[in-house]
Amino acid sequence: MRIQTAAILIAATAFAMPASAVAADFPDIPEPMVFDMIRPLSAKRGELEVNALATTPLSGQPRVVEWAPEIEYAVADGFALEFELPFENARLTELKLGVQKTFGTMDNGRIAHGVQYLGIYDRHDDSASHAVLYMLGRRHSEKLSTMSMVGVGDVRVGQPESTAGLLVNHSTFYHLADDRIAGLELNYKSGRDGGVLAMPQYHGALARKVAFQAGAGLDKQRGARARPVAGLRVIREF
């Protein structure tokens, strides 16, 4: 129970901390495509976003399309909520609720950090799990920025600690222009159903307040062969 208890205490303590004002010079750091954030860490009260991510393997069987529409809303500066509906083809597999809080900035406004909590209900086995991640982003220069997230996932109250696993996401972004970004996202999950994903990606604009993220990379799940995978996320801000 040590991992479960620690994760719950960290989340409760982090979200109970007094909110800090979002700095005017908050660093501009993109959001990863696959392991999505709940609005940027610089989110302002009243910001609303809807988006949907779809991913599918490009080889092997079965070629399932995993897709998930979601809505994100900043209820206060640096504090945002998310509700997501993950699907496999036409089957609704999970219900997901996310909460994200910004702690503030460091290094003269070049670093932003915060915490994210995810609560997931699996409809297949009628079970709930939790994840807590610490997030740290840095704008290294005009062109280069990174976002890192580290935490624990698959935390299940009353279940053995072996069900929980380490979650790591690190993304590096190169800013080609104001609305064009190239990036490389790396995801790692430990445990029996863990694996590694490397996803090169491109972020661009489709219209005013409408953007997309597209990528193709390699997914290696535990006990399975590495498979090429492609993904697309479409984003609408209000």
mmCIF file of all heavy atoms in Angstrom, residues 119-162:
data_model
loop_
_atom_site.group_PDB
_atom_site.id
_atom_site.type_symbol
_atom_site.label_atom_id
_atom_site.label_comp_id
_atom_site.label_asym_id
_atom_site.label_seq_id
_atom_site.Cartn_x
_atom_site.Cartn_y
_atom_site.Cartn_z
ATOM 1 N N GLY A 119 -7.868 10.292 -13.125
ATOM 2 C CA GLY A 119 -8.688 9.212 -12.590
ATOM 3 C C GLY A 119 -9.338 8.483 -13.749
ATOM 4 O O GLY A 119 -9.986 9.112 -14.600
ATOM 5 N N ILE A 120 -9.165 7.173 -13.818
ATOM 6 C CA ILE A 120 -9.596 6.398 -14.987
ATOM 7 C C ILE A 120 -10.506 5.258 -14.555
ATOM 8 O O ILE A 120 -10.144 4.453 -13.682
ATOM 9 C CB ILE A 120 -8.374 5.824 -15.738
ATOM 10 C CG1 ILE A 120 -7.415 6.943 -16.121
ATOM 11 C CG2 ILE A 120 -8.817 5.046 -16.975
ATOM 12 C CD1 ILE A 120 -6.053 6.470 -16.563
ATOM 13 N N TYR A 121 -11.689 5.189 -15.168
ATOM 14 C CA TYR A 121 -12.605 4.075 -14.931
ATOM 15 C C TYR A 121 -12.612 3.178 -16.157
ATOM 16 O O TYR A 121 -12.938 3.614 -17.270
ATOM 17 C CB TYR A 121 -14.017 4.583 -14.643
ATOM 18 C CG TYR A 121 -15.051 3.483 -14.610
ATOM 19 C CD1 TYR A 121 -15.069 2.552 -13.571
ATOM 20 C CD2 TYR A 121 -15.996 3.358 -15.628
ATOM 21 C CE1 TYR A 121 -16.006 1.529 -13.549
ATOM 22 C CE2 TYR A 121 -16.934 2.337 -15.611
ATOM 23 C CZ TYR A 121 -16.934 1.426 -14.567
ATOM 24 O OH TYR A 121 -17.855 0.411 -14.551
ATOM 25 N N ASP A 122 -12.236 1.923 -15.969
ATOM 26 C CA ASP A 122 -12.186 0.941 -17.049
ATOM 27 C C ASP A 122 -13.531 0.212 -17.116
ATOM 28 O O ASP A 122 -13.911 -0.497 -16.178
ATOM 29 C CB ASP A 122 -11.054 -0.061 -16.795
ATOM 30 C CG ASP A 122 -10.796 -0.969 -17.988
ATOM 31 O OD1 ASP A 122 -11.773 -1.474 -18.573
ATOM 32 O OD2 ASP A 122 -9.621 -1.176 -18.337
ATOM 33 N N ARG A 123 -14.251 0.382 -18.216
ATOM 34 C CA ARG A 123 -15.579 -0.207 -18.347
ATOM 35 C C ARG A 123 -15.532 -1.717 -18.555
ATOM 36 O O ARG A 123 -16.489 -2.415 -18.260
ATOM 37 C CB ARG A 123 -16.334 0.453 -19.509
ATOM 38 C CG ARG A 123 -16.551 1.941 -19.321
ATOM 39 C CD ARG A 123 -17.293 2.560 -20.496
ATOM 40 N NE ARG A 123 -18.699 2.152 -20.525
ATOM 41 C CZ ARG A 123 -19.262 1.462 -21.512
ATOM 42 N NH1 ARG A 123 -18.521 1.070 -22.556
ATOM 43 N NH2 ARG A 123 -20.541 1.148 -21.474
ATOM 44 N N HIS A 124 -14.397 -2.221 -19.056
ATOM 45 C CA HIS A 124 -14.298 -3.654 -19.343
ATOM 46 C C HIS A 124 -14.264 -4.472 -18.061
ATOM 47 O O HIS A 124 -14.993 -5.467 -17.929
ATOM 48 C CB HIS A 124 -13.063 -3.947 -20.183
ATOM 49 C CG HIS A 124 -12.830 -5.400 -20.442
ATOM 50 N ND1 HIS A 124 -13.652 -6.167 -21.235
ATOM 51 C CD2 HIS A 124 -11.863 -6.258 -19.971
ATOM 52 C CE1 HIS A 124 -13.210 -7.413 -21.266
ATOM 53 N NE2 HIS A 124 -12.132 -7.495 -20.500
ATOM 54 N N ASP A 125 -13.394 -4.092 -17.113
ATOM 55 C CA ASP A 125 -13.297 -4.871 -15.875
ATOM 56 C C ASP A 125 -13.882 -4.144 -14.666
ATOM 57 O O ASP A 125 -13.662 -4.555 -13.521
ATOM 58 C CB ASP A 125 -11.842 -5.285 -15.603
ATOM 59 C CG ASP A 125 -10.908 -4.088 -15.510
ATOM 60 O OD1 ASP A 125 -11.402 -2.942 -15.429
ATOM 61 O OD2 ASP A 125 -9.683 -4.301 -15.509
ATOM 62 N N ASP A 126 -14.623 -3.056 -14.919
ATOM 63 C CA ASP A 126 -15.326 -2.335 -13.851
ATOM 64 C C ASP A 126 -14.378 -1.955 -12.715
ATOM 65 O O ASP A 126 -14.638 -2.226 -11.535
ATOM 66 C CB ASP A 126 -16.486 -3.183 -13.321
ATOM 67 C CG ASP A 126 -17.417 -2.388 -12.405
ATOM 68 O OD1 ASP A 126 -17.503 -1.153 -12.576
ATOM 69 O OD2 ASP A 126 -18.031 -2.996 -11.508
ATOM 70 N N SER A 127 -13.242 -1.326 -13.065
ATOM 71 C CA SER A 127 -12.245 -0.962 -12.061
ATOM 72 C C SER A 127 -11.795 0.479 -12.266
ATOM 73 O O SER A 127 -11.955 1.048 -13.348
ATOM 74 C CB SER A 127 -11.028 -1.894 -12.145
ATOM 75 O OG SER A 127 -10.352 -1.710 -13.375
ATOM 76 N N ALA A 128 -11.245 1.055 -11.211
ATOM 77 C CA ALA A 128 -10.748 2.429 -11.262
ATOM 78 C C ALA A 128 -9.258 2.448 -10.939
ATOM 79 O O ALA A 128 -8.777 1.672 -10.113
ATOM 80 C CB ALA A 128 -11.508 3.309 -10.279
ATOM 81 N N SER A 129 -8.536 3.320 -11.619
ATOM 82 C CA SER A 129 -7.111 3.500 -11.344
ATOM 83 C C SER A 129 -6.795 4.988 -11.332
ATOM 84 O O SER A 129 -7.595 5.821 -11.783
ATOM 85 C CB SER A 129 -6.248 2.774 -12.379
ATOM 86 O OG SER A 129 -6.457 3.315 -13.669
ATOM 87 N N HIS A 130 -5.616 5.320 -10.802
ATOM 88 C CA HIS A 130 -5.235 6.707 -10.642
ATOM 89 C C HIS A 130 -3.790 6.901 -11.096
ATOM 90 O O HIS A 130 -2.985 5.966 -11.076
ATOM 91 C CB HIS A 130 -5.351 7.127 -9.161
ATOM 92 C CG HIS A 130 -6.661 6.752 -8.544
ATOM 93 N ND1 HIS A 130 -7.758 7.563 -8.554
ATOM 94 C CD2 HIS A 130 -7.055 5.605 -7.904
ATOM 95 C CE1 HIS A 130 -8.765 6.971 -7.951
ATOM 96 N NE2 HIS A 130 -8.368 5.778 -7.550
ATOM 97 N N ALA A 131 -3.485 8.122 -11.524
ATOM 98 C CA ALA A 131 -2.116 8.477 -11.903
ATOM 99 C C ALA A 131 -1.830 9.893 -11.417
ATOM 100 O O ALA A 131 -2.705 10.760 -11.453
ATOM 101 C CB ALA A 131 -1.923 8.395 -13.415
ATOM 102 N N VAL A 132 -0.605 10.107 -10.949
ATOM 103 C CA VAL A 132 -0.156 11.433 -10.508
ATOM 104 C C VAL A 132 1.205 11.686 -11.134
ATOM 105 O O VAL A 132 2.105 10.839 -11.045
ATOM 106 C CB VAL A 132 -0.048 11.523 -8.975
ATOM 107 C CG1 VAL A 132 0.409 12.921 -8.560
ATOM 108 C CG2 VAL A 132 -1.373 11.190 -8.308
ATOM 109 N N LEU A 133 1.361 12.857 -11.783
ATOM 110 C CA LEU A 133 2.613 13.187 -12.451
ATOM 111 C C LEU A 133 3.055 14.605 -12.113
ATOM 112 O O LEU A 133 2.229 15.530 -12.050
ATOM 113 C CB LEU A 133 2.473 13.067 -13.971
ATOM 114 C CG LEU A 133 2.114 11.703 -14.525
ATOM 115 C CD1 LEU A 133 0.658 11.697 -14.974
ATOM 116 C CD2 LEU A 133 3.022 11.322 -15.688
ATOM 117 N N TYR A 134 4.348 14.760 -11.921
ATOM 118 C CA TYR A 134 4.960 16.079 -11.788
ATOM 119 C C TYR A 134 5.409 16.520 -13.175
ATOM 120 O O TYR A 134 5.981 15.732 -13.935
ATOM 121 C CB TYR A 134 6.162 16.021 -10.844
ATOM 122 C CG TYR A 134 6.951 17.318 -10.792
ATOM 123 C CD1 TYR A 134 6.440 18.441 -10.152
ATOM 124 C CD2 TYR A 134 8.203 17.405 -11.397
ATOM 125 C CE1 TYR A 134 7.162 19.626 -10.104
ATOM 126 C CE2 TYR A 134 8.933 18.584 -11.351
ATOM 127 C CZ TYR A 134 8.404 19.685 -10.712
ATOM 128 O OH TYR A 134 9.121 20.859 -10.675
ATOM 129 N N MET A 135 5.145 17.780 -13.523
ATOM 130 C CA MET A 135 5.457 18.310 -14.848
ATOM 131 C C MET A 135 6.435 19.462 -14.730
ATOM 132 O O MET A 135 6.282 20.342 -13.868
ATOM 133 C CB MET A 135 4.175 18.799 -15.531
ATOM 134 C CG MET A 135 3.098 17.751 -15.641
ATOM 135 S SD MET A 135 1.599 18.416 -16.421
ATOM 136 C CE MET A 135 1.136 19.648 -15.220
ATOM 137 N N LEU A 136 7.424 19.467 -15.615
ATOM 138 C CA LEU A 136 8.402 20.547 -15.646
ATOM 139 C C LEU A 136 8.746 20.868 -17.097
ATOM 140 O O LEU A 136 9.199 20.000 -17.846
ATOM 141 C CB LEU A 136 9.665 20.167 -14.875
ATOM 142 C CG LEU A 136 10.694 21.286 -14.702
ATOM 143 C CD1 LEU A 136 11.364 21.204 -13.329
ATOM 144 C CD2 LEU A 136 11.761 21.245 -15.797
ATOM 145 N N GLY A 137 8.477 22.100 -17.484
ATOM 146 C CA GLY A 137 8.788 22.548 -18.837
ATOM 147 C C GLY A 137 9.803 23.677 -18.810
ATOM 148 O O GLY A 137 9.805 24.491 -17.881
ATOM 149 N N ARG A 138 10.653 23.734 -19.825
ATOM 150 C CA ARG A 138 11.666 24.793 -19.895
ATOM 151 C C ARG A 138 11.796 25.308 -21.314
ATOM 152 O O ARG A 138 11.870 24.526 -22.264
ATOM 153 C CB ARG A 138 13.025 24.308 -19.399
ATOM 154 C CG ARG A 138 14.044 25.439 -19.228
ATOM 155 C CD ARG A 138 15.364 24.920 -18.657
ATOM 156 N NE ARG A 138 16.196 25.994 -18.165
ATOM 157 C CZ ARG A 138 17.010 26.752 -18.903
ATOM 158 N NH1 ARG A 138 17.084 26.539 -20.211
ATOM 159 N NH2 ARG A 138 17.734 27.711 -18.358
ATOM 160 N N ARG A 139 11.802 26.611 -21.455
ATOM 161 C CA ARG A 139 12.096 27.264 -22.733
ATOM 162 C C ARG A 139 13.586 27.573 -22.730
ATOM 163 O O ARG A 139 14.048 28.503 -22.066
ATOM 164 C CB ARG A 139 11.261 28.537 -22.890
ATOM 165 C CG ARG A 139 11.353 29.191 -24.271
ATOM 166 C CD ARG A 139 10.682 28.334 -25.322
ATOM 167 N NE ARG A 139 10.842 28.915 -26.659
ATOM 168 C CZ ARG A 139 9.833 29.361 -27.396
ATOM 169 N NH1 ARG A 139 8.595 29.295 -26.930
ATOM 170 N NH2 ARG A 139 10.055 29.847 -28.597
ATOM 171 N N HIS A 140 14.358 26.759 -23.442
ATOM 172 C CA HIS A 140 15.809 26.884 -23.412
ATOM 173 C C HIS A 140 16.304 28.059 -24.252
ATOM 174 O O HIS A 140 17.324 28.678 -23.932
ATOM 175 C CB HIS A 140 16.447 25.587 -23.927
ATOM 176 C CG HIS A 140 16.072 24.384 -23.108
ATOM 177 N ND1 HIS A 140 16.732 24.026 -21.959
ATOM 178 C CD2 HIS A 140 15.079 23.472 -23.276
ATOM 179 C CE1 HIS A 140 16.176 22.934 -21.448
ATOM 180 N NE2 HIS A 140 15.171 22.581 -22.232
ATOM 181 N N SER A 141 15.607 28.331 -25.336
ATOM 182 C CA SER A 141 15.993 29.417 -26.227
ATOM 183 C C SER A 141 14.785 29.807 -27.060
ATOM 184 O O SER A 141 13.686 29.269 -26.872
ATOM 185 C CB SER A 141 17.149 28.990 -27.141
ATOM 186 O OG SER A 141 16.727 27.966 -28.034
ATOM 187 N N GLU A 142 14.970 30.709 -27.984
ATOM 188 C CA GLU A 142 13.877 31.114 -28.857
ATOM 189 C C GLU A 142 13.337 29.936 -29.660
ATOM 190 O O GLU A 142 12.137 29.876 -29.966
ATOM 191 C CB GLU A 142 14.353 32.212 -29.812
ATOM 192 C CG GLU A 142 13.277 32.724 -30.760
ATOM 193 C CD GLU A 142 13.788 33.782 -31.709
ATOM 194 O OE1 GLU A 142 14.937 34.232 -31.548
ATOM 195 O OE2 GLU A 142 13.038 34.152 -32.627
ATOM 196 N N LYS A 143 14.190 28.988 -29.977
ATOM 197 C CA LYS A 143 13.799 27.869 -30.836
ATOM 198 C C LYS A 143 13.538 26.560 -30.095
ATOM 199 O O LYS A 143 12.775 25.720 -30.560
ATOM 200 C CB LYS A 143 14.890 27.627 -31.883
ATOM 201 C CG LYS A 143 15.076 28.765 -32.884
ATOM 202 C CD LYS A 143 13.888 28.890 -33.812
ATOM 203 C CE LYS A 143 14.130 29.899 -34.903
ATOM 204 N NZ LYS A 143 12.934 30.042 -35.807
ATOM 205 N N LEU A 144 14.175 26.346 -28.942
ATOM 206 C CA LEU A 144 14.176 25.034 -28.299
ATOM 207 C C LEU A 144 13.456 25.061 -26.955
ATOM 208 O O LEU A 144 13.683 25.954 -26.132
ATOM 209 C CB LEU A 144 15.617 24.562 -28.097
ATOM 210 C CG LEU A 144 15.810 23.130 -27.588
ATOM 211 C CD1 LEU A 144 15.323 22.124 -28.618
ATOM 212 C CD2 LEU A 144 17.275 22.888 -27.254
ATOM 213 N N SER A 145 12.577 24.057 -26.735
ATOM 214 C CA SER A 145 11.913 23.905 -25.446
ATOM 215 C C SER A 145 11.690 22.430 -25.155
ATOM 216 O O SER A 145 11.710 21.587 -26.064
ATOM 217 C CB SER A 145 10.571 24.656 -25.417
ATOM 218 O OG SER A 145 9.688 24.119 -26.388
ATOM 219 N N THR A 146 11.478 22.099 -23.875
ATOM 220 C CA THR A 146 11.228 20.711 -23.466
ATOM 221 C C THR A 146 10.114 20.673 -22.433
ATOM 222 O O THR A 146 9.887 21.630 -21.696
ATOM 223 C CB THR A 146 12.490 20.061 -22.855
ATOM 224 O OG1 THR A 146 12.966 20.869 -21.773
ATOM 225 C CG2 THR A 146 13.591 19.907 -23.890
ATOM 226 N N MET A 147 9.435 19.544 -22.400
ATOM 227 C CA MET A 147 8.433 19.281 -21.371
ATOM 228 C C MET A 147 8.644 17.870 -20.855
ATOM 229 O O MET A 147 8.695 16.913 -21.644
ATOM 230 C CB MET A 147 7.014 19.424 -21.929
ATOM 231 C CG MET A 147 5.907 19.034 -20.963
ATOM 232 S SD MET A 147 5.888 20.007 -19.422
ATOM 233 C CE MET A 147 5.365 21.601 -20.074
ATOM 234 N N SER A 148 8.775 17.736 -19.534
ATOM 235 C CA SER A 148 8.994 16.428 -18.914
ATOM 236 C C SER A 148 7.917 16.169 -17.873
ATOM 237 O O SER A 148 7.541 17.066 -17.112
ATOM 238 C CB SER A 148 10.374 16.368 -18.241
ATOM 239 O OG SER A 148 11.407 16.585 -19.184
ATOM 240 N N MET A 149 7.427 14.924 -17.847
ATOM 241 C CA MET A 149 6.431 14.503 -16.868
ATOM 242 C C MET A 149 6.870 13.162 -16.282
ATOM 243 O O MET A 149 7.174 12.226 -17.024
ATOM 244 C CB MET A 149 5.053 14.384 -17.519
ATOM 245 C CG MET A 149 4.488 15.704 -18.006
ATOM 246 S SD MET A 149 2.821 15.552 -18.701
ATOM 247 C CE MET A 149 3.218 15.109 -20.388
ATOM 248 N N VAL A 150 6.890 13.091 -14.961
ATOM 249 C CA VAL A 150 7.311 11.875 -14.272
ATOM 250 C C VAL A 150 6.333 11.599 -13.140
ATOM 251 O O VAL A 150 5.966 12.507 -12.383
ATOM 252 C CB VAL A 150 8.739 12.005 -13.696
ATOM 253 C CG1 VAL A 150 9.138 10.720 -12.986
ATOM 254 C CG2 VAL A 150 9.737 12.342 -14.789
ATOM 255 N N GLY A 151 5.892 10.336 -13.032
ATOM 256 C CA GLY A 151 4.972 10.015 -11.953
ATOM 257 C C GLY A 151 4.678 8.535 -11.876
ATOM 258 O O GLY A 151 5.428 7.702 -12.381
ATOM 259 N N VAL A 152 3.571 8.217 -11.241
ATOM 260 C CA VAL A 152 3.163 6.832 -11.042
ATOM 261 C C VAL A 152 1.751 6.668 -11.584
ATOM 262 O O VAL A 152 0.900 7.544 -11.443
ATOM 263 C CB VAL A 152 3.241 6.444 -9.543
ATOM 264 C CG1 VAL A 152 2.337 7.327 -8.698
ATOM 265 C CG2 VAL A 152 2.905 4.981 -9.334
ATOM 266 N N GLY A 153 1.508 5.535 -12.253
ATOM 267 C CA GLY A 153 0.204 5.252 -12.824
ATOM 268 C C GLY A 153 -0.301 3.879 -12.420
ATOM 269 O O GLY A 153 0.417 3.098 -11.780
ATOM 270 N N ASP A 154 -1.531 3.558 -12.807
ATOM 271 C CA ASP A 154 -2.179 2.295 -12.451
ATOM 272 C C ASP A 154 -2.204 2.081 -10.948
ATOM 273 O O ASP A 154 -2.036 0.952 -10.457
ATOM 274 C CB ASP A 154 -1.485 1.110 -13.135
ATOM 275 C CG ASP A 154 -1.915 0.956 -14.580
ATOM 276 O OD1 ASP A 154 -2.970 1.510 -14.943
ATOM 277 O OD2 ASP A 154 -1.201 0.290 -15.352
ATOM 278 N N VAL A 155 -2.390 3.155 -10.196
ATOM 279 C CA VAL A 155 -2.532 3.050 -8.745
ATOM 280 C C VAL A 155 -3.976 2.641 -8.448
ATOM 281 O O VAL A 155 -4.919 3.347 -8.803
ATOM 282 C CB VAL A 155 -2.200 4.386 -8.052
ATOM 283 C CG1 VAL A 155 -2.422 4.266 -6.546
ATOM 284 C CG2 VAL A 155 -0.760 4.792 -8.344
ATOM 285 N N ARG A 156 -4.133 1.506 -7.803
ATOM 286 C CA ARG A 156 -5.467 0.972 -7.508
ATOM 287 C C ARG A 156 -5.600 0.740 -6.011
ATOM 288 O O ARG A 156 -4.858 -0.070 -5.442
ATOM 289 C CB ARG A 156 -5.710 -0.331 -8.282
ATOM 290 C CG ARG A 156 -5.580 -0.160 -9.793
ATOM 291 C CD ARG A 156 -5.625 -1.487 -10.522
ATOM 292 N NE ARG A 156 -5.322 -1.312 -11.929
ATOM 293 C CZ ARG A 156 -6.262 -1.156 -12.875
ATOM 294 N NH1 ARG A 156 -7.538 -1.182 -12.532
ATOM 295 N NH2 ARG A 156 -5.924 -0.995 -14.134
ATOM 296 N N VAL A 157 -6.507 1.443 -5.380
ATOM 297 C CA VAL A 157 -6.696 1.333 -3.942
ATOM 298 C C VAL A 157 -7.143 -0.080 -3.590
ATOM 299 O O VAL A 157 -8.064 -0.636 -4.201
ATOM 300 C CB VAL A 157 -7.734 2.368 -3.455
ATOM 301 C CG1 VAL A 157 -7.981 2.202 -1.951
ATOM 302 C CG2 VAL A 157 -7.261 3.771 -3.763
ATOM 303 N N GLY A 158 -6.450 -0.680 -2.621
ATOM 304 C CA GLY A 158 -6.791 -2.027 -2.189
ATOM 305 C C GLY A 158 -6.162 -3.127 -3.009
ATOM 306 O O GLY A 158 -6.406 -4.295 -2.752
ATOM 307 N N GLN A 159 -5.347 -2.761 -4.023
ATOM 308 C CA GLN A 159 -4.691 -3.750 -4.874
ATOM 309 C C GLN A 159 -3.199 -3.801 -4.559
ATOM 310 O O GLN A 159 -2.638 -2.862 -3.991
ATOM 311 C CB GLN A 159 -4.907 -3.406 -6.347
ATOM 312 C CG GLN A 159 -6.361 -3.451 -6.773
ATOM 313 C CD GLN A 159 -6.946 -4.849 -6.676
ATOM 314 O OE1 GLN A 159 -6.320 -5.827 -7.062
ATOM 315 N NE2 GLN A 159 -8.154 -4.943 -6.129
ATOM 316 N N PRO A 160 -2.501 -4.891 -4.937
ATOM 317 C CA PRO A 160 -1.064 -4.989 -4.676
ATOM 318 C C PRO A 160 -0.283 -3.876 -5.362
ATOM 319 O O PRO A 160 -0.688 -3.362 -6.415
ATOM 320 C CB PRO A 160 -0.694 -6.360 -5.275
ATOM 321 C CG PRO A 160 -1.976 -7.122 -5.317
ATOM 322 C CD PRO A 160 -3.046 -6.114 -5.562
ATOM 323 N N GLU A 161 0.850 -3.500 -4.766
ATOM 324 C CA GLU A 161 1.683 -2.454 -5.343
ATOM 325 C C GLU A 161 2.212 -2.817 -6.721
ATOM 326 O O GLU A 161 2.568 -1.943 -7.512
ATOM 327 C CB GLU A 161 2.864 -2.150 -4.419
ATOM 328 C CG GLU A 161 2.464 -1.453 -3.125
ATOM 329 C CD GLU A 161 3.678 -1.041 -2.313
ATOM 330 O OE1 GLU A 161 4.811 -1.302 -2.775
ATOM 331 O OE2 GLU A 161 3.500 -0.465 -1.229
ATOM 332 N N SER A 162 2.251 -4.116 -7.029
ATOM 333 C CA SER A 162 2.784 -4.544 -8.324
ATOM 334 C C SER A 162 1.933 -4.052 -9.480
ATOM 335 O O SER A 162 2.393 -4.046 -10.624
ATOM 336 C CB SER A 162 2.881 -6.074 -8.368
ATOM 337 O OG SER A 162 1.612 -6.664 -8.161
#
